[in-house]
Amino acid sequence: MSRTFNITADCKPSFHYMVDITDRLEQIKKMIDAGQYFTINRARQYGKTTTLRALAKYLVQDYIVVSLDFQLMSHKDFAEEGAFVKAFSKKLGADILCCF
């Protein structure tokens, strides 16, 4: 199967044409190794999700990678601190269990 241009979801190198982001991943890993923070903020279709998924794969040999999607939590979970802690803990536990 030949590769195609993807403009609808995260890119997968085996299926889609994409820019080599190895240098970017190395730069981010150096920041993580140094205990620094980083942000990824761009408009739609700039590769944010693709970069984060590639970063997770890149870091998995040196770190325990946990991915959380707060969009899957209810707006009620953010109304009170106790509700948030309960929902966050439940989500974190489910995500950790699925990763191993």
Side-chain angles (χ1 to χ4, degrees):
M1 177 178 200
S2 62
R3 293 187 294 173
T4 60
F5 288 100
N6 179 27
I7 58 168
T8 60
D10 67 308
C11 292
K12 295 171 181 57
S14 57
F15 296 111
H16 306 117
Y17 292 109
M18 55 186 294
V19 174
D20 181 5
I21 59 171
T22 304
D23 290 341
R24 186 174 302 158
L25 297 176
E26 290 172 357
Q27 290 174 347
I28 295 171
K29 184 177 182 304
K30 285 179 185 177
M31 294 176 72
I32 293 169
D33 291 341
Q36 298 174 335
Y37 292 95
F38 67 95
T39 60
I40 299 175
N41 56 346
R42 295 295 300 240
R44 292 184 73 248
Q45 301 299 317
Y46 271 89
K48 299 178 297 291
T49 301
T50 300
T51 299
L52 287 173
R53 289 186 178 161
L55 182 61
K57 289 179 184 177
Y58 189 78
L59 295 176
V60 77
Q61 292 181 350
D62 298 320
Y63 293 93
I64 296 172
V65 177
V66 178
S67 176
L68 295 173
D69 187 346
F70 288 96
Q71 296 178 102
L72 300 177
M73 294 173 65
S74 165
H75 72 279
K76 293 177 186 175
D77 295 330
F78 293 93
E80 299 178 352
E81 181 179 348
F84 176 78
V85 170
K86 184 177 178 180
F88 180 81
S89 299
K90 185 176 178 181
K91 180 76 176 132
L92 182 61
D95 284 350
I96 288 176
L97 291 176
C98 79
C99 296
F100 293 104

